[in-house]
Coordinates of all heavy atoms in Angstrom, one line a residue:
M1 N -46.2 -12.6 5.7 CA -46.3 -14.1 6.1 C -47.8 -14.4 6.3 O -48.5 -13.7 6.9 CB -45.5 -14.3 7.4 CG -44.0 -14.3 7.1 SD -43.4 -15.6 6.1 CE -41.8 -15.8 6.8
T2 N -48.1 -15.6 5.9 CA -49.4 -16.1 6.0 C -49.4 -17.4 6.7 O -48.6 -18.3 6.4 CB -50.0 -16.3 4.6 OG1 -50.1 -14.9 4.0 CG2 -51.4 -16.9 4.6
K3 N -50.3 -17.6 7.7 CA -50.3 -18.8 8.5 C -51.1 -19.9 7.8 O -52.3 -19.6 7.4 CB -50.9 -18.5 9.9 CG -50.6 -19.6 10.9 CD -51.0 -19.2 12.3 CE -50.1 -18.2 12.9 NZ -48.7 -18.5 13.0
I4 N -50.5 -21.0 7.6 CA -51.2 -22.1 6.9 C -51.1 -23.4 7.8 O -50.0 -23.7 8.3 CB -50.6 -22.4 5.5 CG1 -50.7 -21.2 4.6 CG2 -51.4 -23.6 4.8 CD1 -50.2 -21.4 3.2
T5 N -52.2 -24.1 7.9 CA -52.2 -25.3 8.6 C -52.3 -26.5 7.6 O -53.3 -26.5 6.8 CB -53.4 -25.4 9.6 OG1 -53.3 -24.3 10.5 CG2 -53.4 -26.7 10.4
Y6 N -51.3 -27.3 7.6 CA -51.3 -28.5 6.8 C -51.6 -29.7 7.7 O -50.9 -29.9 8.7 CB -49.9 -28.7 6.1 CG -49.5 -27.6 5.2 CD1 -48.8 -26.5 5.7 CD2 -49.6 -27.7 3.8 CE1 -48.4 -25.5 4.9 CE2 -49.2 -26.7 3.0 CZ -48.5 -25.6 3.5 OH -48.1 -24.6 2.7
I7 N -52.6 -30.5 7.3 CA -52.9 -31.7 8.1 C -52.7 -33.0 7.3 O -53.2 -33.2 6.3 CB -54.4 -31.6 8.6 CG1 -54.7 -30.3 9.3 CG2 -54.8 -32.8 9.5 CD1 -56.1 -30.0 9.6
E8 N -51.8 -33.8 7.9 CA -51.4 -35.0 7.2 C -52.6 -36.0 7.3 O -53.6 -35.8 8.1 CB -50.2 -35.7 8.0 CG -48.9 -35.0 7.7 CD -47.8 -35.7 8.4 OE1 -47.5 -36.9 8.1 OE2 -47.2 -35.1 9.3
H9 N -52.6 -37.0 6.5 CA -53.7 -37.9 6.5 C -54.0 -38.6 7.8 O -55.1 -38.9 8.2 CB -53.5 -39.0 5.4 CG -54.7 -39.8 5.1 ND1 -55.0 -41.1 5.6 CD2 -55.9 -39.5 4.4 CE1 -56.1 -41.5 5.2 NE2 -56.7 -40.5 4.5
D10 N -52.9 -38.7 8.6 CA -53.1 -39.4 10.0 C -53.5 -38.3 11.0 O -53.6 -38.7 12.2 CB -51.8 -40.1 10.4 CG -50.7 -39.1 10.7 OD1 -50.9 -37.9 10.6 OD2 -49.6 -39.6 11.0
G11 N -53.8 -37.1 10.6 CA -54.3 -36.1 11.5 C -53.2 -35.2 12.1 O -53.5 -34.2 12.8
T12 N -51.9 -35.5 11.8 CA -50.8 -34.6 12.3 C -50.9 -33.3 11.7 O -50.9 -33.1 10.5 CB -49.4 -35.3 12.0 OG1 -49.4 -36.6 12.4 CG2 -48.3 -34.5 12.7
E13 N -51.0 -32.2 12.6 CA -51.1 -30.9 12.1 C -49.7 -30.2 12.1 O -48.9 -30.3 13.0 CB -52.0 -30.1 13.0 CG -53.4 -30.4 12.8 CD -54.4 -29.4 13.5 OE1 -54.0 -28.3 13.8 OE2 -55.5 -29.8 13.7
H14 N -49.5 -29.4 11.0 CA -48.3 -28.5 10.9 C -48.8 -27.1 10.7 O -49.4 -26.9 9.6 CB -47.4 -29.0 9.8 CG -47.0 -30.4 9.8 ND1 -45.8 -30.8 10.3 CD2 -47.7 -31.5 9.4 CE1 -45.7 -32.1 10.2 NE2 -46.8 -32.6 9.7
V15 N -48.5 -26.2 11.6 CA -48.9 -24.8 11.4 C -47.7 -24.0 11.1 O -46.7 -24.0 11.9 CB -49.6 -24.3 12.7 CG1 -50.1 -22.8 12.4 CG2 -50.8 -25.2 13.0
V16 N -47.6 -23.4 9.9 CA -46.4 -22.7 9.6 C -46.7 -21.4 9.0 O -47.8 -21.1 8.5 CB -45.5 -23.5 8.5 CG1 -45.0 -24.8 9.1 CG2 -46.3 -23.8 7.3
D17 N -45.7 -20.5 8.9 CA -45.9 -19.2 8.3 C -45.2 -19.3 6.9 O -44.1 -19.7 6.8 CB -45.2 -18.1 9.1 CG -45.9 -17.7 10.3 OD1 -47.2 -17.7 10.3 OD2 -45.3 -17.5 11.4
V18 N -46.0 -19.0 5.9 CA -45.5 -19.1 4.5 C -45.4 -17.7 3.9 O -46.3 -16.9 4.1 CB -46.4 -20.0 3.7 CG1 -45.9 -20.1 2.2 CG2 -46.5 -21.4 4.3
K19 N -44.3 -17.4 3.2 CA -44.1 -16.1 2.6 C -45.2 -15.9 1.5 O -45.4 -16.8 0.7 CB -42.7 -16.1 2.0 CG -42.1 -14.7 2.0 CD -40.6 -14.9 1.7 CE -40.3 -13.9 0.6 NZ -39.0 -14.2 0.0
N20 N -45.7 -14.7 1.4 CA -46.7 -14.4 0.3 C -46.0 -14.5 -1.0 O -44.8 -14.1 -1.1 CB -47.3 -13.0 0.5 CG -48.2 -12.9 1.7 OD1 -48.7 -14.0 2.2 ND2 -48.6 -11.7 2.1
G21 N -46.7 -15.0 -2.0 CA -46.1 -15.1 -3.3 C -45.7 -16.5 -3.6 O -45.6 -16.9 -4.8
L22 N -45.4 -17.3 -2.6 CA -45.1 -18.7 -2.8 C -46.4 -19.4 -3.0 O -47.5 -18.9 -2.8 CB -44.4 -19.3 -1.6 CG -43.0 -18.8 -1.2 CD1 -42.4 -19.5 0.0 CD2 -42.0 -18.9 -2.4
S23 N -46.3 -20.7 -3.5 CA -47.5 -21.5 -3.6 C -47.7 -22.3 -2.3 O -46.8 -22.4 -1.5 CB -47.4 -22.4 -4.8 OG -46.4 -23.4 -4.5
V24 N -48.9 -22.8 -2.1 CA -49.2 -23.6 -0.9 C -48.3 -24.8 -0.9 O -47.8 -25.3 0.1 CB -50.7 -24.0 -0.9 CG1 -51.0 -25.0 0.2 CG2 -51.5 -22.7 -0.7
M25 N -48.0 -25.4 -2.1 CA -47.1 -26.5 -2.3 C -45.7 -26.1 -1.8 O -45.0 -26.8 -1.0 CB -47.0 -26.9 -3.7 CG -46.0 -28.0 -4.0 SD -44.3 -27.4 -4.3 CE -44.3 -26.9 -6.0
E26 N -45.2 -24.9 -2.2 CA -43.8 -24.5 -1.8 C -43.7 -24.3 -0.3 O -42.7 -24.6 0.3 CB -43.4 -23.2 -2.6 CG -43.2 -23.5 -4.0 CD -43.0 -22.2 -4.9 OE1 -43.8 -21.2 -4.6 OE2 -42.1 -22.1 -5.7
G27 N -44.8 -23.8 0.3 CA -44.8 -23.6 1.7 C -44.6 -25.0 2.4 O -43.9 -25.0 3.5
A28 N -45.2 -26.0 1.9 CA -45.0 -27.3 2.5 C -43.6 -27.9 2.3 O -43.0 -28.3 3.3 CB -46.0 -28.3 1.9
I29 N -43.1 -27.7 1.1 CA -41.8 -28.3 0.8 C -40.7 -27.5 1.7 O -39.8 -28.2 2.3 CB -41.5 -28.1 -0.7 CG1 -42.5 -28.9 -1.5 CG2 -40.0 -28.6 -1.0 CD1 -42.5 -30.4 -1.4
K30 N -40.8 -26.2 1.7 CA -39.8 -25.4 2.4 C -39.8 -25.7 3.9 O -38.8 -25.5 4.6 CB -40.1 -23.9 2.2 CG -39.5 -23.4 0.9 CD -39.6 -21.9 0.8 CE -39.4 -21.4 -0.6 NZ -38.1 -21.8 -1.2
N31 N -40.9 -26.2 4.4 CA -41.0 -26.5 5.9 C -41.0 -28.0 6.2 O -41.3 -28.4 7.3 CB -42.3 -25.9 6.4 CG -42.3 -24.4 6.5 OD1 -41.6 -23.8 7.4 ND2 -42.9 -23.7 5.6
N32 N -40.5 -28.7 5.1 CA -40.4 -30.2 5.3 C -41.6 -30.9 5.8 O -41.5 -31.8 6.7 CB -39.2 -30.5 6.3 CG -37.9 -30.0 5.7 OD1 -37.6 -30.1 4.5 ND2 -37.1 -29.3 6.6
I33 N -42.7 -30.5 5.3 CA -44.0 -31.1 5.7 C -44.2 -32.3 4.8 O -44.3 -32.2 3.6 CB -45.2 -30.1 5.6 CG1 -44.9 -29.0 6.7 CG2 -46.5 -30.8 5.9 CD1 -45.8 -27.8 6.5
P34 N -44.4 -33.5 5.4 CA -44.6 -34.7 4.6 C -46.0 -34.7 4.0 O -46.9 -34.1 4.6 CB -44.4 -35.8 5.6 CG -44.6 -35.2 6.9 CD -44.4 -33.8 6.9
G35 N -46.2 -35.4 2.9 CA -47.5 -35.6 2.4 C -47.8 -34.9 1.1 O -48.8 -35.1 0.4
I36 N -46.8 -34.1 0.7 CA -46.9 -33.4 -0.6 C -45.6 -33.7 -1.3 O -44.5 -33.4 -0.8 CB -47.1 -31.9 -0.5 CG1 -48.5 -31.6 0.1 CG2 -46.9 -31.2 -1.8 CD1 -48.8 -30.1 0.3
D37 N -45.7 -34.4 -2.5 CA -44.5 -34.8 -3.2 C -44.0 -33.7 -4.2 O -42.8 -33.4 -4.3 CB -44.7 -36.1 -3.9 CG -44.9 -37.2 -2.9 OD1 -44.6 -37.0 -1.7 OD2 -45.3 -38.3 -3.4
A38 N -44.9 -33.2 -5.0 CA -44.6 -32.1 -5.9 C -43.4 -32.5 -6.9 O -42.5 -31.8 -7.1 CB -44.2 -30.8 -5.2
D39 N -43.6 -33.7 -7.5 CA -42.6 -34.2 -8.4 C -42.2 -33.3 -9.5 O -41.1 -33.3 -10.0 CB -43.1 -35.5 -9.0 CG -43.1 -36.6 -7.9 OD1 -42.5 -36.5 -6.9 OD2 -43.8 -37.7 -8.2
C40 N -43.2 -32.5 -10.0 CA -42.8 -31.6 -11.2 C -42.3 -30.2 -10.8 O -42.0 -29.4 -11.6 CB -44.0 -31.5 -12.1 SG -45.3 -30.3 -11.5
G41 N -42.3 -30.0 -9.5 CA -41.7 -28.7 -9.0 C -42.7 -27.5 -9.2 O -42.3 -26.4 -9.1
G42 N -43.9 -27.8 -9.4 CA -44.9 -26.7 -9.4 C -45.4 -26.3 -10.8 O -46.0 -25.3 -11.0
A43 N -45.1 -27.2 -11.8 CA -45.5 -26.9 -13.2 C -46.9 -27.3 -13.6 O -47.2 -27.3 -14.7 CB -44.5 -27.5 -14.1
C44 N -47.7 -27.8 -12.6 CA -49.0 -28.3 -12.9 C -48.9 -29.5 -13.8 O -49.7 -29.6 -14.8 CB -49.9 -27.2 -13.4 SG -51.7 -27.6 -13.3
A45 N -48.0 -30.3 -13.6 CA -47.8 -31.4 -14.5 C -47.6 -32.8 -13.9 O -47.1 -33.7 -14.5 CB -46.5 -31.1 -15.4
C46 N -47.9 -32.9 -12.6 CA -47.7 -34.2 -11.9 C -48.8 -34.6 -11.0 O -49.0 -35.8 -10.8 CB -46.4 -34.2 -11.1 SG -46.5 -33.2 -9.6
A47 N -49.6 -33.7 -10.5 CA -50.7 -34.0 -9.6 C -50.3 -34.7 -8.3 O -51.1 -35.3 -7.6 CB -51.8 -34.8 -10.3
T48 N -49.0 -34.6 -7.9 CA -48.6 -35.1 -6.6 C -48.4 -34.1 -5.5 O -47.8 -34.2 -4.5 CB -47.2 -35.9 -6.7 OG1 -46.2 -35.0 -7.1 CG2 -47.3 -37.0 -7.8
C49 N -49.2 -33.0 -5.7 CA -49.2 -31.9 -4.7 C -50.7 -31.7 -4.3 O -51.1 -30.7 -3.9 CB -48.7 -30.6 -5.2 SG -49.5 -29.9 -6.6
H50 N -51.5 -32.8 -4.5 CA -52.9 -32.8 -4.2 C -53.2 -32.5 -2.8 O -52.6 -33.1 -1.9 CB -53.4 -34.2 -4.6 CG -54.9 -34.5 -4.4 ND1 -55.4 -35.8 -4.3 CD2 -55.9 -33.6 -4.3 CE1 -56.7 -35.7 -4.1 NE2 -57.0 -34.4 -4.1
V51 N -54.1 -31.6 -2.5 CA -54.6 -31.4 -1.2 C -56.1 -31.2 -1.2 O -56.7 -30.9 -2.3 CB -54.0 -30.1 -0.5 CG1 -52.5 -30.2 -0.3 CG2 -54.3 -28.8 -1.3
Y52 N -56.7 -31.3 -0.1 CA -58.2 -31.0 0.1 C -58.2 -29.7 0.9 O -57.7 -29.5 2.0 CB -58.9 -32.1 0.9 CG -58.8 -33.4 0.3 CD1 -58.0 -34.4 0.9 CD2 -59.5 -33.7 -0.9 CE1 -57.9 -35.7 0.3 CE2 -59.4 -35.0 -1.5 CZ -58.6 -36.0 -0.9 OH -58.4 -37.2 -1.4
V53 N -58.9 -28.7 0.2 CA -59.0 -27.4 0.9 C -60.2 -27.4 1.9 O -61.3 -27.9 1.5 CB -59.3 -26.3 -0.2 CG1 -59.6 -24.9 0.4 CG2 -58.0 -26.2 -1.1
D54 N -60.0 -27.0 3.1 CA -61.0 -26.9 4.1 C -62.2 -26.1 3.6 O -62.0 -25.1 2.9 CB -60.4 -26.2 5.3 CG -61.4 -26.3 6.5 OD1 -61.4 -27.3 7.2 OD2 -62.1 -25.3 6.7
A55 N -63.4 -26.6 3.9 CA -64.6 -26.0 3.3 C -64.7 -24.5 3.5 O -65.1 -23.8 2.6 CB -65.8 -26.6 4.0
A56 N -64.2 -24.0 4.6 CA -64.3 -22.6 4.9 C -63.4 -21.7 4.0 O -63.6 -20.5 3.9 CB -63.9 -22.3 6.4
W57 N -62.5 -22.4 3.3 CA -61.5 -21.7 2.4 C -61.7 -21.9 1.0 O -61.0 -21.3 0.2 CB -60.1 -22.1 2.9 CG -59.8 -21.6 4.2 CD1 -60.0 -22.3 5.4 CD2 -59.4 -20.3 4.6 NE1 -59.7 -21.4 6.5 CE2 -59.3 -20.2 6.0 CE3 -59.0 -19.2 3.8 CZ2 -58.9 -19.1 6.6 CZ3 -58.6 -18.0 4.5 CH2 -58.5 -18.0 5.9
E58 N -62.7 -22.7 0.6 CA -62.8 -23.0 -0.8 C -63.1 -21.7 -1.7 O -62.5 -21.6 -2.8 CB -64.0 -24.0 -1.0 CG -63.6 -25.4 -0.8 CD -64.7 -26.4 -1.1 OE1 -64.9 -26.6 -2.3 OE2 -65.3 -26.9 -0.1
D59 N -63.9 -20.8 -1.2 CA -64.1 -19.6 -2.0 C -62.8 -18.8 -2.2 O -62.5 -18.3 -3.2 CB -65.2 -18.7 -1.4 CG -66.6 -19.3 -1.6 OD1 -66.7 -20.2 -2.4 OD2 -67.5 -18.9 -0.9
K60 N -62.1 -18.6 -1.1 CA -60.9 -17.7 -1.1 C -59.8 -18.3 -1.9 O -58.9 -17.5 -2.4 CB -60.4 -17.5 0.4 CG -61.4 -16.7 1.2 CD -60.7 -15.9 2.2 CE -61.7 -14.9 2.9 NZ -62.2 -15.4 4.1
T61 N -59.7 -19.6 -2.1 CA -58.6 -20.1 -2.9 C -58.9 -20.1 -4.4 O -58.0 -20.4 -5.2 CB -58.3 -21.6 -2.5 OG1 -59.5 -22.3 -2.4 CG2 -57.6 -21.7 -1.1
G62 N -60.1 -19.6 -4.7 CA -60.4 -19.4 -6.2 C -60.7 -20.6 -7.0 O -60.8 -21.7 -6.4
D63 N -60.9 -20.4 -8.3 CA -61.3 -21.5 -9.1 C -60.1 -22.2 -9.7 O -59.0 -21.6 -9.9 CB -62.1 -20.9 -10.3 CG -63.5 -20.4 -9.8 OD1 -64.0 -21.0 -8.8 OD2 -64.0 -19.5 -10.4
K64 N -60.3 -23.4 -10.1 CA -59.2 -24.2 -10.7 C -59.1 -23.8 -12.2 O -60.2 -23.6 -12.8 CB -59.5 -25.7 -10.7 CG -59.6 -26.3 -9.3 CD -60.1 -27.7 -9.4 CE -61.4 -27.8 -8.7 NZ -61.9 -28.8 -8.0
S65 N -57.9 -23.7 -12.7 CA -57.8 -23.5 -14.2 C -58.1 -24.8 -14.9 O -58.2 -25.9 -14.3 CB -56.3 -23.1 -14.5 OG -55.5 -24.3 -14.2
A66 N -58.4 -24.7 -16.2 CA -58.7 -25.9 -17.0 C -57.5 -26.9 -16.9 O -57.7 -28.1 -16.8 CB -58.9 -25.5 -18.4
M67 N -56.3 -26.4 -16.9 CA -55.1 -27.3 -16.8 C -55.1 -28.0 -15.5 O -54.8 -29.2 -15.4 CB -53.9 -26.4 -17.0 CG -52.6 -27.2 -17.2 SD -51.3 -26.1 -17.6 CE -49.9 -27.1 -17.4
E68 N -55.4 -27.3 -14.4 CA -55.4 -27.9 -13.1 C -56.5 -29.0 -13.0 O -56.3 -30.1 -12.5 CB -55.6 -26.9 -12.0 CG -55.6 -27.5 -10.6 CD -55.8 -26.4 -9.5 OE1 -55.8 -25.2 -9.8 OE2 -56.0 -26.9 -8.3
E69 N -57.7 -28.7 -13.6 CA -58.8 -29.7 -13.6 C -58.3 -30.9 -14.3 O -58.6 -32.0 -13.8 CB -60.0 -29.1 -14.4 CG -60.8 -28.0 -13.7 CD -61.9 -28.6 -12.9 OE1 -61.9 -29.8 -12.6 OE2 -62.7 -27.8 -12.4
S70 N -57.7 -30.8 -15.4 CA -57.3 -32.0 -16.2 C -56.2 -32.7 -15.5 O -56.2 -34.0 -15.5 CB -57.0 -31.7 -17.7 OG -56.0 -30.7 -17.7
M71 N -55.3 -32.0 -14.8 CA -54.2 -32.8 -14.1 C -54.8 -33.5 -12.9 O -54.3 -34.6 -12.5 CB -53.1 -31.8 -13.6 CG -52.0 -31.4 -14.5 SD -51.4 -32.8 -15.5 CE -50.7 -33.9 -14.2
L72 N -55.9 -33.0 -12.3 CA -56.5 -33.6 -11.1 C -57.0 -35.0 -11.5 O -57.2 -35.9 -10.6 CB -57.5 -32.8 -10.5 CG -57.1 -31.8 -9.4 CD1 -58.2 -30.8 -9.1 CD2 -56.6 -32.5 -8.2
D73 N -57.3 -35.2 -12.8 CA -57.7 -36.5 -13.2 C -56.7 -37.6 -12.9 O -57.0 -38.8 -12.8 CB -58.0 -36.6 -14.8 CG -59.2 -35.8 -15.1 OD1 -60.0 -35.5 -14.2 OD2 -59.4 -35.5 -16.3
F74 N -55.5 -37.2 -12.7 CA -54.4 -38.2 -12.4 C -54.2 -38.4 -10.9 O -53.5 -39.3 -10.5 CB -53.1 -37.7 -13.1 CG -53.1 -37.7 -14.6 CD1 -53.4 -36.5 -15.2 CD2 -52.8 -38.8 -15.3 CE1 -53.4 -36.5 -16.6 CE2 -52.9 -38.8 -16.7 CZ -53.2 -37.6 -17.4
A75 N -54.9 -37.6 -10.1 CA -54.8 -37.8 -8.7 C -55.8 -38.9 -8.2 O -56.8 -39.1 -9.0 CB -55.1 -36.5 -8.0
E76 N -55.6 -39.4 -7.1 CA -56.5 -40.4 -6.6 C -57.5 -39.8 -5.5 O -57.1 -38.8 -4.9 CB -55.8 -41.6 -5.9 CG -55.1 -42.4 -7.0 CD -54.5 -43.7 -6.5 OE1 -54.6 -44.0 -5.3 OE2 -53.8 -44.3 -7.3
N77 N -58.6 -40.4 -5.4 CA -59.6 -40.0 -4.4 C -59.9 -38.5 -4.5 O -59.9 -37.8 -3.5 CB -59.1 -40.3 -3.0 CG -58.9 -41.8 -2.8 OD1 -59.7 -42.6 -3.3 ND2 -57.7 -42.2 -2.2
V78 N -60.1 -38.0 -5.7 CA -60.4 -36.6 -5.9 C -61.8 -36.3 -5.4 O -62.8 -37.0 -5.6 CB -60.3 -36.3 -7.4 CG1 -60.8 -34.8 -7.7 CG2 -58.8 -36.4 -7.8
E79 N -61.9 -35.2 -4.7 CA -63.2 -34.7 -4.1 C -63.5 -33.3 -4.7 O -62.5 -32.7 -5.3 CB -63.1 -34.6 -2.6 CG -62.7 -35.9 -1.9 CD -63.9 -36.9 -1.8 OE1 -65.0 -36.5 -2.1 OE2 -63.6 -38.0 -1.5
P80 N -64.7 -32.8 -4.5 CA -65.0 -31.5 -5.0 C -64.0 -30.4 -4.5 O -63.7 -29.4 -5.2 CB -66.4 -31.2 -4.6 CG -67.0 -32.5 -4.4 CD -65.9 -33.4 -3.9
N81 N -63.5 -30.6 -3.3 CA -62.5 -29.6 -2.7 C -61.1 -29.9 -3.0 O -60.2 -29.3 -2.4 CB -62.8 -29.4 -1.2 CG -62.5 -30.7 -0.4 OD1 -62.5 -31.8 -1.0 ND2 -62.3 -30.5 0.8
S82 N -60.8 -30.8 -3.9 CA -59.4 -31.2 -4.3 C -58.8 -30.0 -5.1 O -59.4 -29.5 -5.9 CB -59.4 -32.4 -5.1 OG -59.7 -33.6 -4.4
R83 N -57.5 -29.8 -4.7 CA -56.8 -28.8 -5.5 C -55.3 -29.3 -5.6 O -54.9 -30.1 -4.9 CB -56.7 -27.4 -4.7 CG -58.0 -26.7 -4.6 CD -58.6 -26.2 -6.0 NE -57.6 -25.4 -6.7 CZ -57.5 -24.1 -6.7 NH1 -58.3 -23.4 -5.9 NH2 -56.6 -23.5 -7.5
L84 N -54.7 -28.7 -6.6 CA -53.2 -28.9 -6.7 C -52.6 -27.7 -6.0 O -52.8 -26.6 -6.4 CB -52.8 -29.0 -8.2 CG -53.4 -30.2 -8.9 CD1 -52.9 -30.2 -10.4 CD2 -52.9 -31.5 -8.3
S85 N -51.9 -28.1 -4.9 CA -51.4 -27.0 -4.1 C -50.4 -26.1 -4.7 O -50.2 -24.9 -4.2 CB -50.9 -27.5 -2.7 OG -49.8 -28.5 -3.0
C86 N -49.8 -26.5 -5.8 CA -48.8 -25.6 -6.5 C -49.6 -24.5 -7.3 O -48.9 -23.6 -7.7 CB -47.9 -26.4 -7.4 SG -48.7 -27.1 -8.9
Q87 N -50.9 -24.7 -7.4 CA -51.7 -23.7 -8.1 C -52.4 -22.7 -7.2 O -53.2 -21.9 -7.7 CB -52.7 -24.4 -9.1 CG -52.0 -25.3 -10.1 CD -51.0 -24.6 -11.0 OE1 -51.4 -23.7 -11.6 NE2 -49.7 -25.0 -10.9
I88 N -52.1 -22.8 -5.9 CA -52.8 -21.8 -5.0 C -51.7 -20.9 -4.5 O -50.7 -21.3 -3.8 CB -53.4 -22.6 -3.8 CG1 -54.4 -23.6 -4.3 CG2 -54.1 -21.5 -2.9 CD1 -55.0 -24.5 -3.1
K89 N -51.8 -19.6 -4.8 CA -50.8 -18.7 -4.4 C -51.1 -18.1 -3.1 O -52.2 -17.7 -2.8 CB -50.7 -17.6 -5.5 CG -49.4 -16.7 -5.3 CD -49.4 -15.6 -6.3 CE -48.3 -15.9 -7.3 NZ -48.0 -14.8 -8.2
V90 N -50.1 -18.1 -2.2 CA -50.2 -17.6 -0.8 C -50.3 -16.0 -0.8 O -49.5 -15.4 -1.5 CB -49.1 -18.1 0.0 CG1 -49.2 -17.5 1.4 CG2 -49.1 -19.6 0.1
S91 N -51.3 -15.5 -0.1 CA -51.4 -14.1 0.1 C -52.1 -13.8 1.4 O -52.6 -14.8 2.0 CB -52.3 -13.5 -1.0 OG -53.6 -13.9 -0.9
D92 N -52.1 -12.6 1.8 CA -52.8 -12.2 3.1 C -54.2 -12.8 3.2 O -54.7 -13.1 4.2 CB -52.8 -10.7 3.3 CG -51.5 -10.1 3.6 OD1 -50.6 -10.9 4.0 OD2 -51.3 -8.9 3.4
A93 N -54.9 -12.8 2.0 CA -56.3 -13.3 2.0 C -56.4 -14.7 2.5 O -57.5 -15.2 2.8 CB -56.9 -13.1 0.6
L94 N -55.3 -15.5 2.4 CA -55.4 -16.9 2.8 C -54.8 -17.1 4.2 O -54.6 -18.2 4.6 CB -54.6 -17.7 1.8 CG -55.1 -17.8 0.4 CD1 -54.3 -18.8 -0.4 CD2 -56.6 -18.1 0.3
D95 N -54.7 -16.0 5.0 CA -54.2 -16.2 6.4 C -55.1 -17.1 7.2 O -56.3 -16.7 7.3 CB -54.0 -14.8 7.0 CG -53.1 -14.9 8.3 OD1 -52.2 -15.7 8.3 OD2 -53.4 -14.2 9.2
G96 N -54.6 -18.2 7.7 CA -55.4 -19.1 8.4 C -55.9 -20.3 7.6 O -56.6 -21.2 8.1
L97 N -55.5 -20.4 6.3 CA -55.9 -21.5 5.4 C -55.6 -22.9 6.1 O -54.5 -23.1 6.7 CB -55.1 -21.3 4.1 CG -55.3 -22.5 3.1 CD1 -56.7 -22.5 2.5 CD2 -54.2 -22.3 2.0
V98 N -56.5 -23.8 5.8 CA -56.3 -25.2 6.3 C -56.4 -26.1 5.1 O -57.4 -26.0 4.3 CB -57.4 -25.5 7.3 CG1 -57.3 -27.0 7.8 CG2 -57.4 -24.6 8.5
V99 N -55.4 -26.9 4.9 CA -55.5 -27.9 3.8 C -55.2 -29.3 4.4 O -54.4 -29.4 5.4 CB -54.5 -27.6 2.6 CG1 -54.9 -26.3 1.9 CG2 -53.1 -27.6 3.1
R100 N -55.8 -30.3 3.8 CA -55.5 -31.7 4.3 C -54.8 -32.5 3.1 O -55.2 -32.3 2.0 CB -56.8 -32.4 4.7 CG -57.4 -31.8 5.9 CD -58.7 -32.4 6.4 NE -59.1 -31.9 7.6 CZ -59.7 -30.7 7.8 NH1 -59.9 -29.9 6.8 NH2 -60.0 -30.2 9.0
M101 N -53.9 -33.3 3.5 CA -53.3 -34.1 2.5 C -54.0 -35.5 2.3 O -54.5 -36.0 3.3 CB -51.8 -34.4 2.9 CG -50.9 -33.2 2.5 SD -51.0 -31.8 3.6 CE -49.7 -32.2 4.7
P102 N -54.0 -36.0 1.1 CA -54.6 -37.3 0.9 C -53.7 -38.4 1.5 O -52.5 -38.2 1.9 CB -54.6 -37.4 -0.7 CG -53.5 -36.5 -1.1 CD -53.4 -35.4 -0.1
E103 N -54.2 -39.6 1.5 CA -53.5 -40.7 2.1 C -52.2 -41.0 1.3 O -51.1 -41.3 1.9 CB -54.3 -42.0 2.0 CG -53.7 -43.2 2.8 CD -54.7 -44.3 3.0 OE1 -55.7 -44.3 2.4 OE2 -54.3 -45.2 3.7
S104 N -52.2 -40.8 0.0 CA -51.1 -41.0 -0.8 C -51.1 -40.1 -2.0 O -52.2 -39.7 -2.5 CB -51.1 -42.5 -1.3 OG -50.2 -42.6 -2.4
Q105 N -49.9 -39.7 -2.6 CA -49.9 -38.9 -3.8 C -49.7 -39.7 -5.0 O -49.6 -39.2 -6.1 CB -48.8 -37.9 -3.7 CG -49.0 -36.8 -2.6 CD -50.0 -35.8 -2.9 OE1 -50.6 -35.8 -4.0 NE2 -50.3 -34.8 -2.0
H106 N -49.6 -41.1 -4.9 CA -49.4 -41.9 -6.1 C -50.4 -43.0 -6.2 O -51.0 -43.4 -5.1 CB -48.0 -42.5 -6.0 CG -47.0 -41.4 -6.2 ND1 -46.6 -40.9 -7.4 CD2 -46.2 -40.8 -5.3 CE1 -45.6 -40.0 -7.2 NE2 -45.4 -39.9 -6.0
Ligands
FES1 FE1 -46.7 -31.0 -9.9 FE2 -48.3 -29.4 -8.4 S1 -46.2 -29.8 -8.1 S2 -48.8 -30.5 -10.2

């Protein structure tokens, strides 16, 4: 289990334990955390699982694939630390990860 903090746009924090092997998106959905829609179910085809990775974790979450980069073009208010949370796999290395949700996924 890996501890992840999801912070809604209004500042509401949700600290949950997510099973390794799931994606950061799945961790949010399974714990009923609002702010991540994940319309495509994790296929990197909707960009409604957009999150901002906390600066301290950008290196550990790895690089975006070309497909993720191009899907992020469909997200709003994209920043350098924007990621699609379905493309970040949870592992022990991410214990303590902090992600923030955008104001809207559409
Ligand atoms: Fe659709 Fe991540 S859930 S791109």
Side-chain angles (χ1 to χ4, degrees):
M1 288 292 211
T2 294
K3 197 169 287 303
I4 301 182
T5 301
Y6 298 84
I7 305 175
E8 291 182 61
H9 193 258
D10 68 2
T12 308
E13 287 191 19
H14 304 264
V15 183
V16 295
D17 288 320
V18 179
K19 215 166 127 197
N20 288 347
L22 293 182
S23 68
V24 171
M25 174 278 277
E26 288 169 318
I29 300 295
K30 281 187 190 305
N31 289 286
N32 297 316
I33 295 169
I36 292 180
D37 292 350
D39 290 343
C40 77
C44 198
C46 72
T48 64
C49 62
H50 177 202
V51 296
Y52 303 107
V53 172
D54 187 83
W57 292 92
E58 278 185 74
D59 286 347
K60 293 211 169 94
T61 48
D63 291 330
K64 296 173 242 208
S65 67
M67 191 172 167
E68 182 180 347
E69 287 272 14
S70 56
M71 275 317 297
L72 271 169
D73 288 346
F74 295 94
E76 288 187 7
N77 302 317
V78 172
E79 302 285 347
N81 63 338
S82 288
R83 292 293 309 268
L84 294 179
S85 56
C86 69
Q87 301 301 303
I88 305 174
K89 194 181 251 194
V90 175
S91 69
D92 288 342
L94 295 186
D95 194 35
L97 174 68
V98 178
V99 295
R100 290 179 175 76
M101 276 77 95
E103 186 169 12
S104 161
Q105 291 288 0
H106 293 277

